[in-house]
Amino acid sequence: ALIARLAVRGRLRFDDSAAAYLDDWPSAWGDVTIGHLLAHSSGLPIDTTYAWLVKHHPEYWAEPGVTPPEYQARPLETPPGTSYNYANVGYTLLSMIAARAGGLPFDELMRREVFGPLALRNTHPERDGRLPGRARGYARTDSGLALSEQKTIDIVGAGDLVSTADDLAKFDAAFDDDSFLPAAVRAEMLSSHVQGRRGGLGYGWFIRTSDGGRMTQYHTGGGAGFRAFNYRLPNERLTI
Protein backbone atom coordinates (compact mmCIF):
# COMPACT_ATOMS: atom_id res chain seq x y z
CA ALA A 1 0.00 0.00 0.00
CA LEU A 2 2.84 2.43 0.76
CA ILE A 3 4.48 1.79 -2.61
CA ALA A 4 1.12 2.40 -4.29
CA ARG A 5 0.64 5.66 -2.40
CA LEU A 6 4.08 6.83 -3.49
CA ALA A 7 3.25 5.88 -7.08
CA VAL A 8 0.10 8.03 -6.90
CA ARG A 9 2.22 10.92 -5.64
CA GLY A 10 4.64 10.50 -8.57
CA ARG A 11 7.58 9.58 -6.34
CA LEU A 12 8.12 6.27 -8.13
CA ARG A 13 6.62 3.97 -10.77
CA PHE A 14 5.87 0.27 -10.57
CA ASP A 15 8.07 -0.28 -13.64
CA ASP A 16 11.05 1.61 -12.21
CA SER A 17 14.23 -0.40 -11.87
CA ALA A 18 15.14 -1.35 -8.31
CA ALA A 19 18.67 -0.21 -9.14
CA ALA A 20 17.45 3.40 -9.31
CA TYR A 21 16.82 3.35 -5.55
CA LEU A 22 19.33 0.84 -4.15
CA ASP A 23 23.01 1.74 -4.03
CA ASP A 24 25.49 -0.97 -5.08
CA TRP A 25 22.72 -3.03 -6.69
CA PRO A 26 24.38 -5.79 -8.78
CA SER A 27 24.37 -5.05 -12.50
CA ALA A 28 23.30 -8.65 -13.20
CA TRP A 29 20.01 -7.84 -11.44
CA GLY A 30 19.45 -4.60 -13.34
CA ASP A 31 16.22 -5.72 -15.05
CA VAL A 32 14.40 -6.22 -11.74
CA THR A 33 11.66 -3.63 -11.22
CA ILE A 34 9.57 -2.53 -8.27
CA GLY A 35 6.62 -4.39 -9.77
CA HIS A 36 8.63 -7.62 -9.95
CA LEU A 37 9.47 -7.34 -6.25
CA LEU A 38 5.82 -6.66 -5.39
CA ALA A 39 4.64 -9.74 -7.32
CA HIS A 40 7.43 -12.05 -6.10
CA SER A 41 8.53 -12.50 -9.70
CA SER A 42 11.97 -10.87 -9.64
CA GLY A 43 13.96 -14.04 -10.33
CA LEU A 44 16.38 -13.06 -7.56
CA PRO A 45 18.22 -15.89 -5.78
CA ILE A 46 16.77 -15.47 -2.30
CA ASP A 47 19.75 -16.49 -0.14
CA THR A 48 22.16 -14.48 -2.28
CA THR A 49 19.90 -11.43 -2.12
CA TYR A 50 19.76 -11.66 1.66
CA ALA A 51 23.55 -11.97 1.78
CA TRP A 52 23.80 -8.84 -0.39
CA LEU A 53 21.37 -7.05 1.94
CA VAL A 54 23.24 -7.73 5.18
CA LYS A 55 26.60 -7.01 3.53
CA HIS A 56 25.53 -3.50 2.56
CA HIS A 57 23.01 -2.98 5.38
CA PRO A 58 24.19 -4.95 8.45
CA GLU A 59 21.39 -3.45 10.54
CA TYR A 60 19.12 -6.13 9.05
CA TRP A 61 21.21 -9.00 10.42
CA ALA A 62 19.24 -10.62 13.25
CA GLU A 63 22.01 -12.61 14.97
CA PRO A 64 24.53 -10.35 16.74
CA GLY A 65 27.76 -12.20 17.40
CA VAL A 66 27.17 -14.59 14.51
CA THR A 67 28.93 -14.01 11.21
CA PRO A 68 26.40 -13.28 8.45
CA PRO A 69 26.51 -15.29 5.23
CA GLU A 70 29.13 -14.24 2.72
CA TYR A 71 27.81 -12.50 -0.36
CA GLN A 72 28.85 -14.12 -3.63
CA ALA A 73 27.45 -12.68 -6.83
CA ARG A 74 25.00 -14.85 -8.73
CA PRO A 75 22.84 -14.21 -11.79
CA LEU A 76 19.07 -14.17 -11.72
CA GLU A 77 17.46 -17.59 -11.50
CA THR A 78 14.72 -16.73 -13.99
CA PRO A 79 13.97 -13.70 -16.18
CA PRO A 80 12.04 -11.09 -14.19
CA GLY A 81 8.29 -11.32 -14.52
CA THR A 82 8.22 -14.92 -15.75
CA SER A 83 7.91 -17.04 -12.61
CA TYR A 84 6.78 -16.84 -8.98
CA ASN A 85 9.04 -17.42 -5.99
CA TYR A 86 7.89 -15.99 -2.66
CA ALA A 87 10.61 -13.84 -1.09
CA ASN A 88 10.31 -11.82 2.14
CA VAL A 89 13.62 -10.17 1.34
CA GLY A 90 11.99 -8.55 -1.69
CA TYR A 91 9.66 -6.63 0.60
CA THR A 92 12.53 -5.52 2.80
CA LEU A 93 14.09 -4.14 -0.38
CA LEU A 94 10.78 -2.41 -1.11
CA SER A 95 10.85 -0.76 2.32
CA MET A 96 14.26 0.66 1.43
CA ILE A 97 13.03 1.78 -1.99
CA ALA A 98 10.07 3.53 -0.35
CA ALA A 99 12.35 5.36 2.05
CA ARG A 100 14.59 6.55 -0.78
CA ALA A 101 11.68 7.62 -2.98
CA GLY A 102 9.69 9.20 -0.16
CA GLY A 103 12.61 10.98 1.44
CA LEU A 104 11.75 9.78 4.96
CA PRO A 105 12.45 6.69 7.09
CA PHE A 106 10.18 3.76 6.27
CA ASP A 107 8.34 3.84 9.61
CA GLU A 108 7.60 7.55 9.29
CA LEU A 109 6.29 7.06 5.76
CA MET A 110 4.01 4.27 6.96
CA ARG A 111 2.59 6.57 9.64
CA ARG A 112 2.04 9.43 7.19
CA GLU A 113 0.80 7.50 4.18
CA VAL A 114 -0.99 4.46 5.62
CA PHE A 115 -1.62 4.44 9.36
CA GLY A 116 -2.66 8.08 9.60
CA PRO A 117 -4.98 8.35 6.58
CA LEU A 118 -6.74 5.09 7.50
CA ALA A 119 -6.86 5.85 11.26
CA LEU A 120 -4.99 2.65 12.10
CA ARG A 121 -4.37 3.63 15.70
CA ASN A 122 -3.32 0.18 16.89
CA THR A 123 -0.93 -0.77 14.10
CA HIS A 124 2.77 -0.32 14.81
CA PRO A 125 6.17 -1.69 13.83
CA GLU A 126 7.74 -4.04 16.36
CA ARG A 127 11.51 -4.44 16.29
CA ASP A 128 13.07 -4.03 19.74
CA GLY A 129 10.94 -6.20 21.95
CA ARG A 130 7.25 -6.91 22.42
CA LEU A 131 4.84 -4.02 22.24
CA PRO A 132 2.67 -3.70 25.40
CA GLY A 133 -0.54 -5.68 25.09
CA ARG A 134 0.54 -7.72 22.08
CA ALA A 135 -0.55 -11.37 22.15
CA ARG A 136 2.19 -13.92 22.71
CA GLY A 137 3.09 -16.73 20.34
CA TYR A 138 3.51 -20.36 21.39
CA ALA A 139 4.62 -23.62 19.81
CA ARG A 140 3.48 -27.11 20.76
CA THR A 141 6.31 -29.25 22.14
CA ASP A 142 6.53 -32.73 23.70
CA SER A 143 6.30 -31.13 27.14
CA GLY A 144 3.46 -28.76 26.29
CA LEU A 145 3.18 -25.24 24.94
CA ALA A 146 6.35 -23.14 24.89
CA LEU A 147 6.77 -19.44 24.16
CA SER A 148 7.96 -19.16 20.56
CA GLU A 149 8.45 -15.80 18.86
CA GLN A 150 10.77 -14.73 16.07
CA LYS A 151 12.83 -11.61 15.64
CA THR A 152 11.53 -9.16 13.07
CA ILE A 153 14.56 -7.01 12.27
CA ASP A 154 15.31 -9.18 9.22
CA ILE A 155 11.76 -8.97 7.82
CA VAL A 156 11.22 -5.20 7.85
CA GLY A 157 8.50 -4.45 5.33
CA ALA A 158 7.54 -8.13 5.19
CA GLY A 159 6.33 -9.07 8.67
CA ASP A 160 7.29 -6.52 11.31
CA LEU A 161 3.90 -4.92 12.00
CA VAL A 162 1.54 -5.58 14.89
CA SER A 163 -2.13 -4.82 14.35
CA THR A 164 -5.68 -5.61 15.48
CA ALA A 165 -8.75 -7.06 13.80
CA ASP A 166 -10.43 -3.63 13.85
CA ASP A 167 -7.48 -1.97 12.12
CA LEU A 168 -7.27 -4.75 9.54
CA ALA A 169 -10.96 -4.23 8.78
CA LYS A 170 -10.26 -0.52 8.16
CA PHE A 171 -7.37 -1.43 5.87
CA ASP A 172 -9.56 -3.83 3.92
CA ALA A 173 -12.28 -1.20 3.48
CA ALA A 174 -9.70 1.11 1.86
CA PHE A 175 -9.77 -1.12 -1.23
CA ASP A 176 -13.49 -0.55 -1.78
CA ASP A 177 -13.42 3.11 -2.88
CA ASP A 178 -11.11 5.82 -4.21
CA SER A 179 -10.47 7.73 -0.98
CA PHE A 180 -7.19 5.94 -0.22
CA LEU A 181 -6.06 4.80 -3.68
CA PRO A 182 -7.48 5.57 -7.13
CA ALA A 183 -9.37 2.79 -8.89
CA ALA A 184 -6.68 2.35 -11.55
CA VAL A 185 -3.97 1.78 -8.96
CA ARG A 186 -6.12 -0.61 -6.95
CA ALA A 187 -6.88 -2.52 -10.13
CA GLU A 188 -3.17 -2.88 -10.89
CA MET A 189 -2.47 -4.09 -7.35
CA LEU A 190 -5.29 -6.62 -7.51
CA SER A 191 -4.57 -7.93 -11.01
CA SER A 192 -2.50 -11.00 -11.74
CA HIS A 193 1.04 -10.22 -12.94
CA VAL A 194 2.47 -13.75 -12.78
CA GLN A 195 1.06 -17.21 -12.23
CA GLY A 196 1.89 -19.39 -9.24
CA ARG A 197 0.79 -22.93 -8.44
CA ARG A 198 -2.49 -21.80 -6.90
CA GLY A 199 -3.37 -18.82 -9.04
CA GLY A 200 -2.08 -15.39 -9.89
CA LEU A 201 0.03 -12.91 -7.98
CA GLY A 202 -0.88 -9.26 -7.71
CA TYR A 203 1.06 -6.62 -5.84
CA GLY A 204 0.99 -8.05 -2.33
CA TRP A 205 -2.07 -10.22 -2.98
CA PHE A 206 -2.73 -13.72 -4.26
CA ILE A 207 -5.53 -13.76 -6.84
CA ARG A 208 -7.61 -16.88 -7.33
CA THR A 209 -10.96 -17.89 -8.81
CA SER A 210 -12.56 -21.00 -7.35
CA ASP A 211 -14.14 -23.76 -9.42
CA GLY A 212 -17.47 -22.16 -8.60
CA GLY A 213 -16.35 -18.82 -10.01
CA ARG A 214 -15.78 -17.07 -6.69
CA MET A 215 -13.05 -14.41 -6.92
CA THR A 216 -10.69 -14.43 -3.94
CA GLN A 217 -7.93 -11.96 -3.08
CA TYR A 218 -5.91 -13.20 -0.16
CA HIS A 219 -2.67 -13.51 1.75
CA THR A 220 -1.62 -15.95 4.40
CA GLY A 221 1.40 -15.90 6.63
CA GLY A 222 3.04 -17.36 9.66
CA GLY A 223 6.02 -17.15 11.91
CA ALA A 224 7.10 -18.67 15.18
CA GLY A 225 3.96 -18.96 17.29
CA PHE A 226 1.58 -17.25 14.89
CA ARG A 227 -0.59 -17.88 11.82
CA ALA A 228 -2.63 -15.33 9.88
CA PHE A 229 -5.15 -15.49 7.05
CA ASN A 230 -6.76 -12.60 5.19
CA TYR A 231 -9.32 -13.52 2.52
CA ARG A 232 -11.22 -10.91 0.50
CA LEU A 233 -14.29 -11.88 -1.53
CA PRO A 234 -14.70 -8.61 -3.45
CA ASN A 235 -17.85 -9.53 -5.35
CA GLU A 236 -19.56 -10.25 -2.04
CA ARG A 237 -17.94 -7.37 -0.12
CA LEU A 238 -16.82 -9.88 2.48
CA THR A 239 -13.46 -10.29 4.21
CA ILE A 240 -12.41 -13.11 6.50
Side-chain angles (χ1 to χ4, degrees):
L2 174 59
I3 292 289
R5 292 273 290 186
L6 293 174
V8 171
R9 295 190 183 284
R11 306 303 295 267
L12 52 75
R13 295 168 52 95
F14 292 131
D15 59 1
D16 282 347
S17 169
Y21 303 91
L22 299 172
D23 295 335
D24 300 311
W25 189 243
S27 59
W29 302 347
D31 290 337
V32 174
T33 68
I34 291 173
H36 295 141
L37 294 173
L38 286 166
H40 298 283
S41 64
S42 66
L44 290 167
I46 294 175
D47 291 344
T48 302
T49 305
Y50 185 64
W52 176 88
L53 175 68
V54 297
K55 174 185 178 181
H56 295 283
H57 302 275
E59 64 271 22
Y60 291 109
W61 179 239
E63 302 294 337
V66 177
T67 302
E70 181 182 358
Y71 168 66
Q72 295 182 339
R74 285 182 57 194
L76 295 174
E77 294 180 338
T78 57
T82 63
S83 62
Y84 157 73
N85 189 19
Y86 193 92
N88 278 332
V89 68
Y91 272 66
T92 298
L93 297 174
L94 287 166
S95 74
M96 297 164 60
I97 289 171
R100 174 65 65 88
L104 291 169
F106 175 63
D107 291 350
E108 179 61 24
L109 282 171
M110 288 294 291
R111 284 190 286 269
R112 291 192 182 196
E113 295 291 338
V114 182
F115 304 160
L118 297 181
L120 306 184
R121 298 183 178 87
N122 296 298
T123 302
H124 310 280
E126 181 181 89
R127 312 262 169 72
D128 301 318
R130 183 173 70 99
L131 289 173
R134 194 259 290 159
R136 307 307 302 265
Y138 294 84
R140 193 179 300 278
T141 70
D142 291 341
S143 57
L145 295 177
L147 192 66
S148 177
E149 297 179 345
Q150 70 186 80
K151 297 178 180 179
T152 58
I153 191 62
D154 57 343
I155 51 173
V156 173
D160 61 325
L161 296 181
V162 173
S163 191
T164 64
D166 285 345
D167 273 9
L168 290 174
K170 293 177 184 177
F171 179 76
D172 174 75
F175 287 86
D176 291 333
D177 61 43
D178 296 344
S179 59
F180 181 62
L181 291 170
V185 174
R186 287 184 284 119
E188 189 162 3
M189 292 178 69
L190 295 170
S191 296
S192 176
H193 296 275
V194 67
Q195 288 294 309
R197 290 179 301 163
R198 299 183 177 180
L201 274 295
Y203 290 163
W205 294 91
F206 293 85
I207 314 295
R208 187 178 183 183
T209 302
S210 70
D211 293 339
R214 172 179 281 181
M215 169 66 73
T216 307
Q217 301 157 346
Y218 69 97
H219 204 297
T220 66
F226 294 96
R227 292 291 183 271
F229 303 85
N230 186 4
Y231 290 92
R232 302 184 77 247
L233 306 174
N235 295 334
E236 298 157 62
R237 295 182 65 86
L238 175 66
T239 296
I240 303 171

